[in-house]
Amino acid sequence: MTLSTIRRAAGLLRSIPPGQIALLSALTLASALSEGVGLLMLVPMLSALSAGELAAGLPGWAASASATLAQWMGLGGLLALFVALVAARAVLNYRLALAQTRSQYAVVDDWRDRIYRALLSAGWRHLSAMRQSDNISLLIQLVDTIGDGIFRLLGLLTSVVTLGIVWLAAFALSPVTALVGALGGMAVLALFSRFRRHARGLGSDVVRGIGALQGEAQETLGALRLIKSHGQEGGAALRLSQNVGALRRAQLAMIRTTAGSRALLLSAGAVAMALVVWVAFARGVSLAVLLPLVALFARSVPLLDTLQSGLQHWSHALPAIERAESLLAQASAAREPDLPAAPAPRPLHEIAVTDATVRHAGRDSPALDDVTLVLPAGSMTALVGPSGAGKSTLADLFGAMFAPDAGTLSVDGMPLDGAALVGWRRTSAYLHQEPVLFHTTIRRNLQWARSDAGEAEMKRALERASAGFVLELPEGLDTVVGDAGRRLSGGERQRIALARALLGDPALLILDEATSALDAENDAAIARAIAGLKGQCTILVIGHRGALTDMADRVVTLRNGRIAGEGAIPSAS
Ligand SMILES: Nc1ncnc2c1ncn2[C@@H]1O[C@H](COP(=O)(O)OP(=O)(O)OP(=O)(O)O)[C@@H](O)[C@H]1O
């Protein structure tokens, strides 16, 4: 265990409440003491069994103490005390296992919570560049790998304390044997370091395997229509089973390493014990010393095994811990400022993006190059242009999803940054080509925008969004929309999403290709709804030629990240 590993372990254990740490420490110490004392009880028991004969050869203090105890308690009393000690240790170990599991959960849950919060608080640009299946696998599965590492770490700390007590007992009986045993134990730990390195490599394989499996399953289940239409069911099933195979190979290799190192350690322990007995017998060491030493030795080997396999599992969990640490660090570095206490002011005159430049990571040319666009308050602007011109990027700037690399977003001449920028985001609403609905009732989907919205307000929003059909459904607002709203048509989904946006009373409504996947009827229904909103809020429509762009007060053309013109709708966009 290197210094950095110890520091990392201490850092992880910091999320265990102090009371729990105190309980763990007390239980660990009490369990270890009961173990040591129980083993040492052999000495007075042997003395009582042999009427003092076997006391010869014991260190002076041990001979007199065991003789006194044997005389005072008798064999029956000593046996009863021994049984009581074993029973007490069983209770202590039961409580210890519970305390260790609770501590493990405390660490894991704290990590999960911190990672989740860090992700939720990170900026959109950072989040949109991430592979979310990696984050899901970390939050759901890898934290349990980390939990296993923590549990083993706590177990190995218990083994260290118990080994220490057992060693002290051995030292009291025979210092030389105890020192030789300690050196042997350290040599074993050093020799077994290659198993731990191997376990760490396998830990990396498991992290990769879990990520690949999660990514594959998530992508496949999210693309079922595509898979079915291309007849790719077999290929998808094969890819999943290949991913499962790779993961299982890594997991089985870990079991093999653990079981192999255990078999080696226990066999080496047996050989060492045989040697000790042999040498002791040859040198005429008395039974009174030899028997308790053998018992202490026999107990030390499994404890050493727990220690070694604990270190091995800890090494195995390290890659998952490193993944979590790195994600946490990156997400925290991309953290957005906290929301301002007061809501952002509604624009009276204009919302403007000025001299804005945006460079996406890994791209040579900027997505937006020194763009200035002013949206008069209450106006409706259509933004058109070829694919990749930068329309969505510009809409993201207006909606304050992120700040430009250069330039500003301002409302009525006041530049927005930091918390004000995040606050403005709350007052704008987006409608994308594929609306986001949650697998719950329409009521809950609407209330997602405003939890205190009443029935009448919801109905009004639905009517304004040309979504009155909801009220005619057999279960009305309580209709469950299905996974991502798949129990509704695309147009119905989009109109419910518009109603949800309106419920939040947005100052800026952005429709990014909101009707491009809809038929003429739904396009017209959304257009009717938007016509009713004109003048009530500022509207920015992105799209190719259609009912919505035709309704705009003006049309702005974007080309290669620059404003290419303003006025009439270009004939080919
Ligand atoms: N997250 C990203 N990382 C890297 N490049 C990006 C990212 N998002 C957009 N781009 C690139 O930035 C440019 C502008 O993209 P944007 O989505 O703004 O264009 P658009 O005009 O909305 O296109 P479309 O009409 O096809 O939706 C494109 O070249 C696109 O490939």
Side-chain angles (χ1 to χ4, degrees), residues 128 360-361 363 367 385-394 513 544:
S128 62
H360 288 299
R363 294 300 170 105
S387 176
K391 303 182 294 294
S392 298
T393 306
L394 186 53
E513 311 268 4
H544 304 275

Side-chain angles (χ1 to χ4, degrees), residues 365-441:
S365 47
L368 290 180
D369 189 5
D370 202 19
V371 168
T372 295
L373 181 63
V374 178
L375 308 180
S379 70
M380 178 170 177
T381 304
L383 192 56
V384 299
S387 176
K391 303 182 294 294
S392 298
T393 306
L394 186 53
D396 277 345
L397 291 190
F398 272 109
M401 286 309 288
F402 57 86
D405 297 319
T408 53
L409 166 70
S410 61
V411 171
D412 291 339
M414 200 174 74
L416 303 178
D417 57 11
L421 197 73
V422 180
W424 169 254
R425 188 187 306 155
R426 290 278 177 95
T427 65
S428 46
Y430 267 90
L431 221 58
H432 289 277
Q433 185 172 349
E434 191 48 52
V436 177
L437 290 188
F438 300 99
H439 182 23
T440 178
T441 60

